[in-house]
Amino acid sequence: MRAANRVLPLEGGRNFRDLGGYETEDGRRVRWCRLFRSGAMARLTPSDYSYLSTLGIRVVCDFRSRAERADEPTRWLADPAPRFLAWDGPIQEDESPLIAALAADDASQEMVREAMAELYRHIPYVFAGRYRDLFKVLESGEAPLAFHCSAGKDRAGVAAALLLTALGVPRETIIGDYAMSDKVVDYVALIEAADPQRVSESSIAYLLRLPRELLAPILWSDPIYIVTMFDELEKNHGSAMAFIRDELGFGDEAIDSLRDQC
């Protein structure tokens, strides 16, 4: 019998984690091996895929842009192959506060940290269409499911927070799951190990040129980031659950179904 693992034992995994085991507010526990969050999967090894083939993942939702997918393509080797869900439409993500903080003459780590928190106010809305599709897949009963972005902490982190909210997991636990990325991946080392020639046209090239002091808060999974996201949803909708219902179209019946299957 396969033992449940929070962080999957993968040689080439990047923040590949199981959302199972968390206790909910009504005393249940999220089921293991139903929902997985991850970063890019380009470095998964044949041994990793041998392990993943035992999980029965039916759908992989890839929140990355077309360019990101080209930089780090997923070549799924496990059998049977899951259905892949990706999006090619433009994303109007306002990164101007972060760009301004980095470009300021007096740029500091705290300024970049505050700009990152501000960015999290917008992520649920910018990626609402993709999150809506993720929830629709689950509403149709297509679990086990994995979802990911590049680092597995921002777009995927918000998706995980919304899913755990829908499942009735307490806020404190959700924040802990979000912050866990810092313990699982050394993102600074990951960026510094990138090949400058290969990423010359990508956002990684820009990150490589930043002083480490300013790079760090971009790569952190600082709890204030996800707390700021929740604060914004509560300000605009009254609660994160109301955002899930109103903006993602995931009503009470769908939430009950999700809780039954996950």
Side-chain angles (χ1 to χ4, degrees):
M1 182 178 295
R2 197 188 72 84
N5 297 282
R6 171 74 60 219
V7 181
L8 272 60
L10 303 173
E11 297 171 343
R14 182 184 300 172
N15 206 9
F16 207 134
R17 311 202 318 250
D18 193 326
L19 291 179
Y22 289 127
E23 187 171 0
T24 65
E25 291 172 334
D26 60 2
R28 298 175 299 105
R29 285 195 179 273
V30 178
R31 292 170 60 187
W32 290 99
C33 301
R34 303 296 289 174
L35 297 172
F36 302 94
R37 55 174 293 176
S38 179
M41 301 179 181
R43 298 184 182 182
L44 294 175
T45 67
S47 177
D48 292 338
Y49 279 115
S50 178
Y51 175 85
L52 290 170
S53 68
T54 69
L55 303 181
I57 294 173
R58 299 177 62 186
V59 181
V60 174
C61 294
D62 187 342
F63 297 135
R64 299 177 300 164
S65 67
R66 183 195 295 255
E68 288 174 293
R69 299 197 301 271
D71 282 344
E72 294 188 293
T74 301
R75 298 182 176 90
W76 196 270
L77 302 178
D79 188 37
R83 178 167 73 91
F84 282 86
L85 182 60
W87 298 263
D88 289 330
I91 288 296
Q92 302 301 318
E93 189 169 6
D94 184 6
E95 295 183 344
S96 55
L98 178 59
I99 293 171
L102 292 169
D105 291 338
D106 59 345
S108 66
Q109 189 169 91
E110 184 57 28
M111 288 172 60
V112 177
R113 179 175 180 262
E114 291 174 359
M116 279 295 295
E118 185 65 23
L119 188 63
Y120 269 69
R121 295 186 185 277
H122 305 289
I123 290 177
Y125 299 99
V126 171
F127 292 94
R130 300 182 184 194
Y131 295 152
R132 190 178 300 119
D133 288 346
L134 167 67
F135 274 81
K136 284 181 180 178
V137 169
L138 289 170
E139 186 176 4
S140 68
E142 292 187 82
L145 173 145
F147 57 92
H148 74 102
C149 56
S150 289
K153 74 177 189 73
D154 298 317
R155 291 162 288 184
V158 170
L162 294 173
L163 281 171
L164 291 174
T165 296
L167 288 167
V169 174
R171 180 70 53 81
E172 182 178 355
T173 303
I174 296 172
I175 294 170
D177 178 81
Y178 172 79
M180 190 184 300
S181 293
D182 281 343
K183 301 176 183 177
V184 174
V185 183
D186 183 345
Y187 288 108
V188 173
L190 192 67
I191 291 293
E192 292 180 342
D195 181 353
Q197 299 298 321
R198 186 174 181 277
V199 300
S200 59
E201 300 301 324
S202 74
S203 59
I204 295 177
Y206 174 74
L207 294 176
L208 282 167
R209 293 193 293 269
L210 291 175
R212 180 178 281 227
E213 179 186 6
L214 302 184
L215 173 63
I218 297 174
L219 303 179
W220 287 340
S221 295
D222 191 322
I224 194 61
Y225 300 165
I226 204 71
V227 168
T228 301
M229 184 275 292
F230 277 120
D231 287 347
E232 186 71 10
L233 298 185
E234 288 166 2
K235 181 184 77 173
N236 295 336
H237 304 275
S239 69
M241 190 67 82
F243 170 83
I244 291 168
R245 292 191 179 99
D246 299 342
E247 298 297 322
L248 303 187
F250 206 69
D252 292 341
E253 186 175 337
I255 288 171
D256 289 342
S257 175
L258 177 66
R259 293 180 178 184
D260 285 341
Q261 65 171 309
C262 297

